[in-house]
């Protein structure tokens, strides 16, 4: 039987801690070190104001600079004003010490002289106490005796993270809690290279603290010649290819690359290296860009000179590439590209392109044994446990990864259509195939459809297309999805033309009966061009209201039966069918035999480097009693907002859809919520649970179904490794069904880590589920088995998936929403200054969304013919 802790179920109170017992028991390694000792004394938090001796910073300098100045001050005053007490600093405004460095009502002032690139400056650091952190809150939290949330213990954890980081930073390049080294760096395209490293963070467990260590990779600017980097990012053979000037797209590419990067100007006319940041680029080349200059050898005489002539006369430097534009820095100074270098140790914060992303994935992919070996090597080499700073903060850290208890849950039985050769099976290793199987229920038969070929007819002959269609029709019919019209119109279109018009032409080619509408467009794409794909989906979802199935032209050449079966699963799901199911009796038992609305919610944000774009909340809800079919609702939010406004309206809609399809009201709602962090648990639960309950009461007075609210966390650094090969799968990862709910979970919460999928490559990341509300009284065994079982019902896959399907669907819905949101972005726009015209970073405003200054929250509309279907599959 599952073991329970103390219970409570109303917002704002404590949670329920539970442990499961179902399944085969085993032990696994975790990428954490159990602290033998952790701080029991107070930790002192200080406000740090680092300012120049004269003047002020208009804005805080880069963290690396702030830390360098602070570290110099620590070295200068360690044995005097600081009394030998270590102070760890976040490189912005906060520092922590294990003992008081000054009385609570006084300010400590440290003078420091700092030299960089041959230039010395003086700074003053003002330090004053702002808080005393009582570390007993950590002890109470890990023993489950406190009502405090993760946010309440975060200051203490941050102090310990900074103490550990101070040791690692002396040997590696650090960014927040992650640290990297250029050793074994991999060059990639676009003037970047990939570095390996590690993340370090102190984590609360059950009755103990852990130091979590995980491998990491990041993209860095390749240091050295800026000219070589620009040749690289523009994919030029030689810089002379741009003698005629840069195109607007080239300007945007360079601007995106240089945004935020620190450059160094180095030539024989100046002492040392001059550091500067780019705010723009001249619109004219250096041999045409001119300004008024007073020659120091001819006092009082001014003249107009070009930048090229200025460098020749002022510094005796003849520029090799005067046909290039110049870079505009502070006070509108212009610097030749060929005289600039990219500084070392700079992290790239922009969006990676497809090639860079593929390189990153390949670079990061490591077998579990390799991953664990690198972590063990780092533990041994870095010597964190021997650091005086770490010891001063009351931590004792051994050099050994911890072992924790785990269980492997029973594999659920899944079912297919009754005419299948094997209508039910319990898949081994989390995977199976469609051979001799039929879908559980067929969607609406396909009568009105067409094929749109966005590829050259000479490459993609109509006979070859028809051969593929014939195979697809045969496989669909064998798989249990009925296609009544085996020879749909085949229409050729131009991918470079108006794609919406091409799709309309394909729809018009379908012979329809009065009152009927096109059901499906099979769109054959010539390449993997994302823009063409997004345009097709945008037009299908919004304008035409027709289901669309895209595929690559290369698959037409060889009409593979397995590929056609995969297409069949997608088409059947879109047309209202279900592909596989769980055993109804088993599922209903897990759901306590109550009609249950299963929901998933996710908030996705713009990628790094995408400024001004909205965040999108996607909410999906089941429309049947088996949790197999879903409808979706989209909500546009202001950029990077987490809390979901209009959630009440979304839940109302899904309650009505569930009743419309099942003819019963849900007595229970299981709400899987992705996209929140541990520190946001209380506020998200309280606010969104209130919205869910308001939605229920607004549908019918007094209607109050039971709600189970589960946070879903995928972006974490916890990894587990089998102790022996027989406990792992063929890739060396934990087998599907492995669940961990002890030792390294959160003491006050009912939570667990679950491996629900079989890894194809690399090191698997489990999903962390945290139960924040549990009206129905799920036991740990019930909820773990329910979540694991649902992972076998993902509509278009013959594998169990890593994420519970309602959340997976919410991800897909939000991803598809990017296709039909108006385009926004940043580019180098024209601007004028007193010195010169130059390109500067600005926001493009040529779109509806960009002119929506309010950033208002609103529902995003899908064509009414699609909005209750699984169009997003």
């Amino acid at each position: 039987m599952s073991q329970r802790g103390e219970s409570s179920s109303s917002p704002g109170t404590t949670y329920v801690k539970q442990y499961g017992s179902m399944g085969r028991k085993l032990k696994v390694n975790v990428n954490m070190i159990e602290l033998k000792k952790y701080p029991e004394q107070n930790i002192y938090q200080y406000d740090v104001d680092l300012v120049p001796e004269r003047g002020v910073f208009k804005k805080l300098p880069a963290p690396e600079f702030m830390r360098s100045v602070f570290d110099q001050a620590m070295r200068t005053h360690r044995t005097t004003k600081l009394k030998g007490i270590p102070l760890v600093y976040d490189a912005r405004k906060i520092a922590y010490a294990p003992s008081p460095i000054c009385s609570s009502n006084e300010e400590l002032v440290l003078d420091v002289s700092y030299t960089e690139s041959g230039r010395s400056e003086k700074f003053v650091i003002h330090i004053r106490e702002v808080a005393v952190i009582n570390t007993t809150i950590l002890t109470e939290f890990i023993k489950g005796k406190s009502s405090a949330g993760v946010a309440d213990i975060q200051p203490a954890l941050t102090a310990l993270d900074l103490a550990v980081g101070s040791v690692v930073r002396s040997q590696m390049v650090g960014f927040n809690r992650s640290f990297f080294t250029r050793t074994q760096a991999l060059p990639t395209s676009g003037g970047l290279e990939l570095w390996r490293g590690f993340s370090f963070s102190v984590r609360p467990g059950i009755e103990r603290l852990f130091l979590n260590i995980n491998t990491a990779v990041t993209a860095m600017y390749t240091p050295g010649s800026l000219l070589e980097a620009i040749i690289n990012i523009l994919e030029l053979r030689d810089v002379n290819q741009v003698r005629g000037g840069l195109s607007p797209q080239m300007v945007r590419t360079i601007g995106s690359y240089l945004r935020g990067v620190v450059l160094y100007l180095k030539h024989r006319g100046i002492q040392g290296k001059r550091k500067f940041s780019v705010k723009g680029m001249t619109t004219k080349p250096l041999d045409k860009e001119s300004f008024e200059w007073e020659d120091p050898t001819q006092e009082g005489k001014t003249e107009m000179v070009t930048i090229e002539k200025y460098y020749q006369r002022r510094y005796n430097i003849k520029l090799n590439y005067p046909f290039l534009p110049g870079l505009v820095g502070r006070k509108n100074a212009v610097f030749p590209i060929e005289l600039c270098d990219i500084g070392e140790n700079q992290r790239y914060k922009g969006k990676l392109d497809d090639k860079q992303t593929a390189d990153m994935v390949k670079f990061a992919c490591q077998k579990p044994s390799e991953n664990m070996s690198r972590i063990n090597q780092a533990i041994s080499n870095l010597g964190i446990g021997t650091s005086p700073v770490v010891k001063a903060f009351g931590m004792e850290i051994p050099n050994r990864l911890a072992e924790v208890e785990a269980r492997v849950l029973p594999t659920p039985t899944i079912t297919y259509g009754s005419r299948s050769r094997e209508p039910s099976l319990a898949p081994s290793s989390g995977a199976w195939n469609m051979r001799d199987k039929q879908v559980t229920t067929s969607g609406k038969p396909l009568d009105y459809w067409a094929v749109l070929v966005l590829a050259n007819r000479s490459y993609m002959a109509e006979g070859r297309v028809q051969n593929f269609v014939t195979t697809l029709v045969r496989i669909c019919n064998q798989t249990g999805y009925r296609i009544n019209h085996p020879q749909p119109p085949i229409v050729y279109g131009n991918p470079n033309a108006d794609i919406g018009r091409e799709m309309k032409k394909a729809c018009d080619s379908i012979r329809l009966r009065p009152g009927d509408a096109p059901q499906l467009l099979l769109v054959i794409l010539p390449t993997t061009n994302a823009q063409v794909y997004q345009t097709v989906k945008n037009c299908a979802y919004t304008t035409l209201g027709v289901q669309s199935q895209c595929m690559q032209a290369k698959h037409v050449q060889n009409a593979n039966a397995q590929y056609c079966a995969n297409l069949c699963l997608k088409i059947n799901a879109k047309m209202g069918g279900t592909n596989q199911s769980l055993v109804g009796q088993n599922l209903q038992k897990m759901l306590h035999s109550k009609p249950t609305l299963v929901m998933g919610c996710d908030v996705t944000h713009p990628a790094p480097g995408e400024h001004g774009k909205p965040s999108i909340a996607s909410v999906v809800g089941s429309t049947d009693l088996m949790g197999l079919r879903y409808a979706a609702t989209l909500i546009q939010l202001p950029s990077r907002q987490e809390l979901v406004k209009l959630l009440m309206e979304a839940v109302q809609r899904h309650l009505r859809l569930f009743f419309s399809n099942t003819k019963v009201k849900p007595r229970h709602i299981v709400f899987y919520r992705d996209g929140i962090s541990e520190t946001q648990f209380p506020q998200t639960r309280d606010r969104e649970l209130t919205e869910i309950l308001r939605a229920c009461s607004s549908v019918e007075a007094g209607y109050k179904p039971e709600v189970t609210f589960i946070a879903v966390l995928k972006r974490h650094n916890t990894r587990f490794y089998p102790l022996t090969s027989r406990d792992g799968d063929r890739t060396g990862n934990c087998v599907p069904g492995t669940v961990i709910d002890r030792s390294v979970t959160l003491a006050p919460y009912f939570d667990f880590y679950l491996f629900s999928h079989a890894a194809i490559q690399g090191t698997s990341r489990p999903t962390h589920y945290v139960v924040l509300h549990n009206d129905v009284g799920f036991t740990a065994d019930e909820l773990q088995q329910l979540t694991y079982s649902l992972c076998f019902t993902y509509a278009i896959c013959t594998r169990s998936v890593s994420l519970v399907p309602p959340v997976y669907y919410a991800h897909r819905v939000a991803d598809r929403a990017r296709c039909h949101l108006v385009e926004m972005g940043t580019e180098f726009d024209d601007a004028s200054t007193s010195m010169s015209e130059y390109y500067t970073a600005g926001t493009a405003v040529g779109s509806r969304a960009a002119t929506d200054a309010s950033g208002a929250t609103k529902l995003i509309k899908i064509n009414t013919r699609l909005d209750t279907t699984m169009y997003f599959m």
Side-chain angles (χ1 to χ4, degrees), residues 833-849:
T833 71
S834 58
M835 188 281 293
S836 170
E837 284 193 339
Y838 64 93
Y839 296 107
T840 180
T843 303
V845 294
S847 66
R848 286 175 293 157

Side-chain angles (χ1 to χ4, degrees), residues 154 223 270 281 332 335 347 354 381 408 462 479 483 488 540 550 596 685 691 720 738 761 776 822 840:
Q154 198 58 54
I270 60 174
M281 191 161 57
N332 294 331
F335 306 108
R347 195 176 195 176
D354 291 345
N381 293 343
V408 179
E462 185 169 344
T479 309
I483 298 181
C550 294
T596 300
R685 180 196 70 157
E691 291 295 297
F720 300 93
T738 301
Q761 61 179 3
V776 79
V822 288
T840 180

Side-chain angles (χ1 to χ4, degrees), residues 77 85 105 188 192 210 231 250 269 275 278 280 327-328 372 375 387 416 547 573 624-625 683 702 706 725 808:
H77 299 283
I85 299 169
N105 59 355
T188 185
L192 303 179
F210 292 91
I231 291 172
M250 288 177 173
K275 182 171 71 172
V278 180
L327 301 177
V328 181
M372 188 173 168
I375 291 172
S387 164
Y416 279 92
Q547 300 287 2
D624 67 336
L625 294 171
Q683 68 183 83
E706 297 168 324
S725 58
Y808 212 140

Side-chain angles (χ1 to χ4, degrees), residues 387-570:
S387 164
V389 175
V390 168
K391 291 179 179 179
F393 275 87
M395 291 184 285
E396 185 176 336
I397 304 176
N399 284 2
R400 184 178 66 256
L401 293 181
E403 292 181 7
V404 297
E405 294 180 11
R407 291 172 288 114
V408 179
L409 300 176
T411 302
T413 298
I414 60 173
T415 65
Y416 279 92
S418 58
R419 299 181 64 182
S420 304
R421 177 177 293 181
E422 190 180 13
S424 65
L425 70 154
S428 62
S429 304
W432 63 99
N433 58 58
M434 285 297 295
R435 191 177 300 115
D436 298 325
K437 296 180 182 66
Q438 291 199 349
V439 295
T440 303
T441 60
S442 176
K444 188 175 181 180
L446 201 50
D447 294 301
Y448 306 119
W449 64 304
V451 180
L452 175 60
V453 185
L454 295 177
N456 193 291
R457 188 187 292 261
S458 61
Y459 167 70
M460 191 64 55
E462 185 169 344
R464 180 163 287 178
V465 175
Q466 183 57 60
N467 179 60
F468 177 85
V469 169
T470 300
T471 303
L472 176 63
V473 170
R474 175 174 57 81
I475 295 296
C476 284
N477 288 330
Q478 288 175 357
T479 309
Y481 176 66
R482 188 71 187 165
I483 298 181
N484 291 330
H485 187 24
Q487 292 186 314
I490 297 173
V491 178
Y492 285 82
N494 181 358
N496 300 315
D498 183 339
I499 290 179
R501 188 179 64 224
E502 303 292 277
M503 294 176 68
K504 178 69 165 54
K505 181 174 66 175
C507 287
D508 290 344
S509 70
I510 304 171
R511 293 184 179 181
L512 300 171
R513 292 182 303 190
D516 286 328
Q519 294 174 285
L520 176 76
L521 275 185
L522 179 65
V523 183
I524 300 175
L525 303 174
T527 66
T528 57
N529 185 291
Q531 186 63 47
V532 174
Y533 174 82
Q534 290 174 356
T535 305
V536 168
K537 291 297 182 181
N538 174 30
C539 185
Y541 294 159
T542 58
T543 308
L544 297 176
V546 62
Q547 300 287 2
S548 57
Q549 181 57 59
C550 294
M551 60 172 291
Q552 294 297 312
K554 64 182 181 181
H555 295 296
V556 174
Q557 307 295 338
N558 178 24
N560 180 273
Q562 182 62 52
Y563 181 79
C564 289
N566 292 339
L567 283 186
C568 174
L569 297 181
K570 294 183 178 184

